[in-house]
């Protein structure tokens, strides 16, 4: 049945996109030949006029790219007439971004100026057209393929960006990371892949983002409420993970890569192949990775932190004068061990559960700690995804259509003597839709009207634990955005109205069930059946609200600008927050929700200043976010102050109050000489619980999972010319300081004080090239925590995994990973697929 449904979705999405595409093409061709043009030009050095070989010319809105030849020339055929942003980049030169009217310009020559600064970053997330970050009033940050490749030691895509200013991650070991932006995460931050929202039980702690890090070439982050264009759950921000751009026309390019990490024996291999033949775009990425348990000096090897992951994705599409349409399909398959932190009381060595009654736990032998084998107690998360990105040139604008289908299957195996019976078994089917029309009205007012949302169906499967009910959910939100430039001043504004509807099913549990384990009761007369209890009530609820944004950017000069934004965000409660009533074995928590919750609203103000000079760039950004009906978890304690356990798990309930989160980031990038960079960044976030009108106790006055003061300094040398056959050489030394977190949510023992720590990192790499100057081997080496510091991050959930009673004088919890050195080798290959190119 599932395969039939997936096949139907593929056909539906393909038919929608390609039929519309073909019809659009016919209409354009029949209407007038003048609607299609060509663009070509030459890229030269401004100082000496010599051609620049290998410069990249991109038209982001059309997903078209070209590389300059030996004469510095490039060309695009069959481009639509209209105004589009053209970006020209080359290492060691200042990026050029310029809007070009293709109806008036067919030759676009560019003279690049040498520069030590990387500037002119362009984003596509949350905007109607490709836009320079510095011209967008909404706080954003973006990183490309080079940045991601040099973070070789990171075990997943979220860890690769978790040190960006304003961005952090809540972790449960090295392969489970959830993004946090300015102190907000889980269902308050939407993770996208190519603009399609990621849906996979985000409320859960113990699994990460279901995306292959090897399939991502670029990440764009909105740092603040993005409800305007993405709806509920974007109240904290958006992380858009972008897959590889199409290769230039007439090319077939690929690579094989391998990575090894010394700390946990991490292996990560990936194969990539892409092609572009007369506008027929295709590509695939196949990956596999796995590890042993990670280690540190304090804990040794940490039992049940190993994992095994397999990924595959394919893409096929058309890129023509009418626009583009791409169809993607991917599979994510991760088996992740489940740590619980239990120790032998005398030796403090890790122990493991081997019987259902858990009367005796033996010490985990060293052979198991050094094994890649996944233990009986583990979770298995699979995500099947099919989605379509289409963009059609219509009239004086473009129609963007993004449709997606996802099936998330999450199982947690928690019975040591019945390894084939899942404790948790959730099936989440999600259909997402996003349709918007971007056009200009009046005197170049960039305008967008759109509607997006999703439909979800969740079933709780053949399991023994039931933290959330089966439910249906439907989201819908129409919106509009308008932008206008008045000389040096750029203004933008927009509004949206969201509605989310829940329909939860009643559920009854047979406490004896199958093989002595509880199971869903599906028989008649559940109210009177023996050994049957009610787990969930039938429940219908609707949440709705307005969100909006107004912002401005003032370009004082080419070197200095000021921008500010004020936005109202909306978030409907998640299914767990309103309906949870059961254990989640992987998180070691029994969740209790509250169906009387109100939706969250936020009002955030952002202001920033940005300076760009020949040898220095600097920025200061501050934000203030006031939230009403803020939902958070707190631990339940008995009258004597001890934790309350329900079915063997610590009990947490959800509550609401007013809250305030504020802080900012400072960045200074110095270039004393052209090849040397000295980068410095500071991030500070405060989170305060404002209560519900009365005084707030000291133990309650701070919010959970707020990152401490973090500073990052990095001295980096870049030698693009290299030496002999070794080119694009880089080397860096980094220093990260995390202050103590003494502003923590102390009530009910939910969080504890976290000591400060310092981490040292370093890395180097480069390309070995052939006679034609093309790389044949790329090498990346990165070392993290080189001083082998024993530390606990306040954003690590493993900090709280230990025995209920810890011996006096022993610091509880699991420590983060010790020293790790990663070696990554990439072997690129490619050739022309036709003689013309």
């Amino acid at each position: 049945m599932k395969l039939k449904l997936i096949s139907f979705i593929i056909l539906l999405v393909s038919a929608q996109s390609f039929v519309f595409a073909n019809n659009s093409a016919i209409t354009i061709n029949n209407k007038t030949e003048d609607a299609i043009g060509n663009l070509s030009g030459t890229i030269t050095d401004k100082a000496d006029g010599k051609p620049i070989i290998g410069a990249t010319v991109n038209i982001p809105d059309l997903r078209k790219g070209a590389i300059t030849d030996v004469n510095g020339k490039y060309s695009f055929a069959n481009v639509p007439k209209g105004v589009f942003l053209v970006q020209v980049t080359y290492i060691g030169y200042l990026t050029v971004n310029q809007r070009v009217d293709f109806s008036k310009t067919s030759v676009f020559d560019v003279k690049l100026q040498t520069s030590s600064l990387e500037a002119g970053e362009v984003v596509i997330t949350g905007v109607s057209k490709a836009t320079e970050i510095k011209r967008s009033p909404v706080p954003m940050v973006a990183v490309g393929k080079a940045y991601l490749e040099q973070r070789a030691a990171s075990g997943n895509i979220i860890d690769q960006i978790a040190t960006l200013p304003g961005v952090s991650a809540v972790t449960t070991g090295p392969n489970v990371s959830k993004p946090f932006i300015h102190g907000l995460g889980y269902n308050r931050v939407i993770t996208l892949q190519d603009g399609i929202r990621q849906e996979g039980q985000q409320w859960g702690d113990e699994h990460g983002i279901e995306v292959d890090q090897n399939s991502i070439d670029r990440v764009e982050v909105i740092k603040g409420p993005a409800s305007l264009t993405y709806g509920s759950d974007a109240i904290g921000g958006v992380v858009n993970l972008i897959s590889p751009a199409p290769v230039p026309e007439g090319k077939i390019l690929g690579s094989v890569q391998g990575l090894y990490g010394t700390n946990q024996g991490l292996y990560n291999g990936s194969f990539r192949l892409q092609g572009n033949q007369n506008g027929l775009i295709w590509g695939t990425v196949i990956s596999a990775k796995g590890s042993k348990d990670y280690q540190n000096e304090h804990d040794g090897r940490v039992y049940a932190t190993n994992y095994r992951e397999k990924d595959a994705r394919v893409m096929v599409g058309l890129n023509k004068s009418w626009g583009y349409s791409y169809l993607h399909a991917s599979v994510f398959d991760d088996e992740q061990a489940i740590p619980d932190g239990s120790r032998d009381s005398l030796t403090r060595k890790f122990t493991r559960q081997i019987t259902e009654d858990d009367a005796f736990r033996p010490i985990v032998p060293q052979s198991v700690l050094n094994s890649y084998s996944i233990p009986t107690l583990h979770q298995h998360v699979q995500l099947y995804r099919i989605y379509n990105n289409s963009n059609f040139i219509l009239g004086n604008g473009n129609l963007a259509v993004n449709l997606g289908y996802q099936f998330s299957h999450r199982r947690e195996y928690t019975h040591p003597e019945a390894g084939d019976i899942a404790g948790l078994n959730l099936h989440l089917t999600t259909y997402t839709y996003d349709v918007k029309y971007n056009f200009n009205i009046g005197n170049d007012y960039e305008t967008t009207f759109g509607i997006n949302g999703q439909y979800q169906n969740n079933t709780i499967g053949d399991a023994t634990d039931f933290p959330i009910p089966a439910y249906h959910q439907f989201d819908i939100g129409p919106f509009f955005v308008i932008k206008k430039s008045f000389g040096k001043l750029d203004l933008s504004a927009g509004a949206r109205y969201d509605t989310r509807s829940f329909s939860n099913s009643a559920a009854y549990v047979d406490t004896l069930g199958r093989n002595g384990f509880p199971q869903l009761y599906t028989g008649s007369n559940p109210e009177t059946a023996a050994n049957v209890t009610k787990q969930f009530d039938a429940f219908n609820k609707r949440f709705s609200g307005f969100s909006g944004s107004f912002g401005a950017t003032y370009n004082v000069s080419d070197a200095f600008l000021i921008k500010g934004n004020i936005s109202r965000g909306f978030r409907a409660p998640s299914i767990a927050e309103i309906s949870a009533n059961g254990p989640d074995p992987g998180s070691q928590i029994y969740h209790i929700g509250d169906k009387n919750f109100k939706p969250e609203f936020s009002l955030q103000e952002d202001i920033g200043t940005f300076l760009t000079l020949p040898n220095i760039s600097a920025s200061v950004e501050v934000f203030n976010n006031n939230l009403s009906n803020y939902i958070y978890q707190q631990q339940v304690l008995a009258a004597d102050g001890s934790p309350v356990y329900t079915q063997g798990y610590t009990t947490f309930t959800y509550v609401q109050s007013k809250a305030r989160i504020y802080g900012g980031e400072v960045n200074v990038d110095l270039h004393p000489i052209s090849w040397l960079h000295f980068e410095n960044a500071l991030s500070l976030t405060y989170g305060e619980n404002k209560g519900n009108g009365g005084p707030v106790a000291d133990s309650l006055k701070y919010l959970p999972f707020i990152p401490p003061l973090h500073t990052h300094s990095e001295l980096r040398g870049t030698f693009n010319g290299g030496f002999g056959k070794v080119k694009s050489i880089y080397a860096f030394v980094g220093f990260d300081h995390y202050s103590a977190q003494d502003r923590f949510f102390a009530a009910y023992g939910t969080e504890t004080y976290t000591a400060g720590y310092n981490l040292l990192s370093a890395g180097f790499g480069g390309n070995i090239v052939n006679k034609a100057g093309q790389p044949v081997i790329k090498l990346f080496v990165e070392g993290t925590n080189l001083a082998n510091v024993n530390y606990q991050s306040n954003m690590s959930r493993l900090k709280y995994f230990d025995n209920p009673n810890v011996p006096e004088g022993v610091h509880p919890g699991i420590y983060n990973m010790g020293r790790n050195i990663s070696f990554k080798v990439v072997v690129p290959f490619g050739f022309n697929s036709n003689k013309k190119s």
Side-chain angles (χ1 to χ4, degrees):
M1 183 66 185
K2 187 191 303 180
L3 290 176
K4 290 181 180 179
L5 178 60
I6 293 176
S7 299
F8 173 74
I9 295 297
I10 293 176
L11 292 174
L12 180 65
V13 174
S14 300
Q16 170 269 323
S17 301
F18 286 93
V19 169
F20 193 2
N22 289 332
N23 287 341
S24 297
I26 293 171
T27 301
I28 290 173
N29 289 331
N30 287 341
K31 184 175 181 181
T32 174
E33 292 293 331
D34 292 337
I36 302 172
N38 299 303
L39 183 72
S40 61
T42 305
I43 311 301
T44 57
D45 187 308
K46 185 176 182 179
D48 58 19
K50 293 183 179 179
I52 296 178
I53 305 170
T56 300
V57 184
N58 278 319
I59 310 175
D61 289 317
L62 302 179
R63 296 279 184 96
K64 287 180 176 287
I67 305 295
T68 56
D69 60 18
V70 293
N71 297 311
K73 296 184 178 297
Y74 73 92
S75 64
F76 294 101
N78 299 322
V79 294
K81 297 295 181 71
V83 180
F84 296 92
L85 182 75
V86 178
Q87 181 183 55
V88 183
T89 60
Y90 191 70
I91 296 175
Y93 289 81
L94 191 66
T95 297
V96 170
N97 294 297
Q98 186 169 326
R99 294 200 177 275
V100 179
D101 188 343
F102 294 169
S103 63
K104 300 177 181 178
T105 303
S106 60
V107 177
F108 180 57
D109 297 329
V110 177
K111 297 179 180 180
L112 293 183
Q113 182 176 352
T114 57
S115 173
S116 301
L117 294 173
E118 299 81 13
E121 194 73 65
V122 169
V123 293
I124 60 173
T125 305
V127 295
S128 57
K129 291 184 178 180
T131 304
E132 282 189 82
I133 286 182
K134 70 178 184 178
R135 298 193 73 101
S136 172
V138 177
M140 300 184 72
V141 63
V143 294
K145 185 177 181 181
Y147 178 95
L148 297 175
E149 282 187 324
Q150 293 176 18
R151 271 66 185 173
S154 299
N156 60 77
I157 186 62
I158 300 303
D159 279 352
Q160 286 180 284
I161 63 169
T163 58
L164 292 173
V167 182
S168 56
V170 165
T171 64
T172 312
N175 196 42
V176 178
S177 300
K178 289 184 177 291
F180 267 56
I181 300 173
H182 288 166
L184 297 175
Y186 294 106
N187 286 80
R188 297 184 181 93
V189 170
I190 288 181
T191 301
L192 309 170
Q193 183 162 13
D194 295 325
I196 304 293
R197 58 187 294 161
Q198 166 86 26
E199 290 295 321
Q201 315 285 359
Q202 288 95 317
W203 58 269
D205 292 289
E206 67 291 346
H207 63 98
I209 301 302
E210 293 94 345
V211 173
D212 174 20
Q213 68 187 104
N214 301 303
S215 68
I216 303 302
D217 273 9
R218 181 173 176 80
V219 182
E220 298 179 357
V221 180
I222 299 177
K223 298 190 294 183
S227 304
L228 175 61
T229 49
Y230 294 102
S232 179
D233 301 346
I235 195 170
V238 169
V239 177
N240 192 8
L241 309 174
I242 301 173
S243 58
V247 299
E249 170 70 33
K251 298 287 186 180
I252 294 178
L253 302 177
S255 65
V256 177
Q257 75 168 43
L259 180 147
Y260 179 77
T262 59
N263 184 284
Q264 54 188 146
L266 171 67
Y267 65 85
N268 185 346
S270 185
F271 169 80
R272 177 186 293 193
L273 190 65
Q274 296 176 260
N276 183 345
Q277 182 69 35
N278 297 322
L280 175 63
I281 312 294
W282 56 269
T284 185
V285 180
I286 302 172
S287 305
K289 67 178 180 180
S291 81
K292 300 183 289 187
D293 297 324
Y294 81 81
Q295 60 185 321
N296 58 59
E297 281 196 341
H298 185 272
D299 299 311
R301 289 206 178 273
V302 178
Y303 177 60
T305 56
N306 60 329
Y307 58 90
R308 182 167 55 218
E309 181 184 317
K310 295 171 290 184
D311 306 286
R313 65 180 291 111
V314 295
M315 182 273 285
V316 62
L318 294 174
N319 199 328
K320 298 292 185 178
S321 58
W322 44 259
Y324 61 81
S325 183
Y326 300 157
L327 182 67
H328 305 253
S330 66
V331 176
F332 173 94
D333 191 314
D334 177 47
E335 292 178 282
Q336 179 82 43
I338 303 174
D340 63 12
S342 66
R343 318 264 190 141
D344 178 71
S345 58
L346 295 178
T347 64
R348 291 287 291 167
K349 292 183 177 180
F350 289 101
T351 61
R352 58 178 172 171
Q353 183 181 1
I354 59 172
T355 61
E356 196 66 32
D357 61 12
D358 205 15
F360 167 71
R361 289 197 174 210
I363 293 174
V364 182
Q366 197 65 30
S367 59
V368 172
L369 293 172
N370 279 297
S371 173
Y372 286 92
S373 298
I374 303 298
T376 302
L377 305 185
H378 70 281
Q379 63 173 316
H380 190 182
V381 178
Q382 294 170 301
L383 182 71
Y384 303 89
R385 185 201 307 262
I386 302 171
Y387 62 95
N388 177 267
N389 301 129
S390 294
N391 196 338
F392 307 107
I393 308 300
L394 293 177
N396 69 336
N398 67 289
L399 178 69
V401 181
N402 298 309
L403 302 177
Y405 163 83
Q406 296 171 69
F407 176 72
S408 171
H409 191 189
R410 175 181 163 204
R411 285 156 288 179
E412 293 182 2
Y413 295 96
T414 57
H415 302 295
E417 296 178 279
D420 60 335
I421 298 178
L424 188 69
N425 196 347
L426 302 176
H427 306 78
L428 179 65
T429 302
T430 304
Y431 302 88
T432 58
Y433 61 94
D434 179 17
V435 180
K436 50 183 174 282
Y437 185 59
N438 308 307
F439 62 101
N440 287 352
I441 59 175
N443 187 20
D444 292 331
Y445 285 86
E446 292 185 15
T447 308
T448 299
F449 285 95
I451 187 169
N452 54 30
Q454 62 181 347
Y455 169 78
Q456 290 188 329
N457 179 54
N458 186 77
T459 62
I460 48 184
D462 185 12
T464 64
D465 295 311
F466 310 98
I468 61 172
Y471 68 92
H472 301 284
Q473 175 187 319
F474 179 68
D475 295 358
I476 186 169
F479 64 94
F480 78 90
V481 181
I482 188 166
K483 298 193 297 182
K484 170 65 176 174
S485 294
F486 301 91
K488 295 183 177 182
L489 179 65
D490 301 320
L491 297 178
S492 67
R496 178 189 182 100
Y497 186 78
D498 273 290
T499 300
R500 169 172 290 181
S501 301
F502 280 111
S503 177
N504 301 354
S505 302
Y508 295 83
V509 174
D510 182 348
T511 57
L512 294 182
R514 176 169 57 117
N515 300 323
F517 296 113
Q519 71 177 78
L520 282 179
Y521 179 76
T522 57
S524 59
N525 302 317
E527 299 287 352
T528 58
N531 306 311
V532 173
T533 61
K534 193 172 190 179
Q535 188 82 7
F536 301 105
D537 291 316
F539 176 60
N540 293 284
K541 186 77 172 181
R542 175 174 292 183
F543 301 95
S544 58
F546 284 98
S547 53
S549 178
F550 176 77
T553 300
Y554 185 69
N555 300 272
V556 179
S557 67
D558 291 339
F560 183 67
L561 65 89
I562 302 172
K563 61 183 182 179
N565 191 70
I566 182 169
S567 54
R568 185 179 197 253
F570 161 83
R571 184 181 81 92
S574 70
I575 184 65
E577 292 164 341
I578 60 174
S579 299
N581 181 33
D584 181 4
S587 66
Q588 302 291 304
I589 287 176
Y590 190 99
H591 299 267
I592 299 176
D594 188 337
K595 62 183 180 182
N596 296 313
F597 278 160
K598 299 176 181 179
E600 291 181 349
F601 290 96
S602 71
L603 184 65
Q604 178 163 322
E605 304 93 17
D606 294 273
I607 189 167
T609 60
F610 300 81
L611 176 68
T612 305
L613 297 173
N615 294 309
I616 182 174
S617 64
S619 64
V620 178
E621 298 176 88
V622 295
F623 70 94
N624 179 65
N625 191 7
N626 287 287
L627 298 104
S628 58
N629 308 319
Y630 175 81
I631 302 173
Y632 60 96
Q633 278 189 312
Q634 64 181 30
Q635 190 170 358
V636 179
L637 298 185
D640 62 359
S642 61
V644 171
Y645 287 85
T646 306
Q647 299 181 15
Y649 301 97
T650 53
T651 306
F652 278 73
T653 185
Y654 292 93
V655 294
Q656 281 191 308
S657 72
K658 297 178 182 178
R660 181 190 178 203
I661 303 177
Y662 58 99
E665 295 96 46
V666 178
N667 289 271
V668 179
D669 191 358
L670 304 174
H671 296 261
I673 49 180
S674 61
W675 56 267
L676 185 64
H677 302 238
F678 185 37
E679 302 170 2
N680 300 273
L682 179 150
S683 300
L684 180 62
T685 303
Y686 287 136
E688 297 178 352
N689 183 356
K690 309 303 288 186
N692 290 304
V696 178
D698 286 347
S699 63
L700 287 166
K701 67 181 182 179
Y702 301 121
L703 301 182
F705 284 132
I706 298 296
L709 170 70
H710 172 214
T711 64
H712 173 77
S713 295
E714 183 172 295
L715 190 64
R716 174 180 293 265
T718 304
F719 309 93
N720 296 320
F723 308 97
K725 292 188 176 182
V726 182
K727 306 293 184 182
S728 301
I729 300 172
Y730 73 91
F732 71 88
V733 177
F735 178 81
D736 286 88
H737 167 74
Y738 293 85
S739 293
Q741 184 52 289
D742 55 4
R743 300 166 62 94
F744 57 93
F745 184 60
Y748 318 107
T750 303
E751 287 187 328
T752 59
Y753 170 85
T754 305
Y757 53 93
N758 300 308
L759 301 177
L760 182 66
S761 61
F764 66 90
N767 300 339
I768 299 175
V769 302
N770 57 20
K771 292 181 179 179
Q774 300 298 316
V776 294
I777 295 177
K778 297 181 178 181
L779 175 65
F780 307 91
V781 180
E782 183 185 13
T784 57
N785 193 8
L786 291 176
N788 211 22
V789 173
N790 287 315
Y791 73 97
Q792 288 179 322
S793 166
N794 83 303
M795 304 294 283
S796 170
R797 294 182 57 251
L798 296 185
K799 176 178 184 285
Y800 303 98
F801 285 24
D802 209 317
N803 296 337
N805 298 306
V806 176
E808 186 177 352
V810 174
H811 191 85
I814 297 172
Y815 282 66
N816 287 67
M817 186 183 291
R819 181 186 297 115
N820 181 46
I821 300 175
S822 294
F823 303 88
K824 180 177 180 179
V825 177
V826 180
V827 180
F829 59 87
F831 50 89
N832 294 337
S833 60
N834 58 49
K835 294 181 180 179
K836 182 179 178 179
S837 56

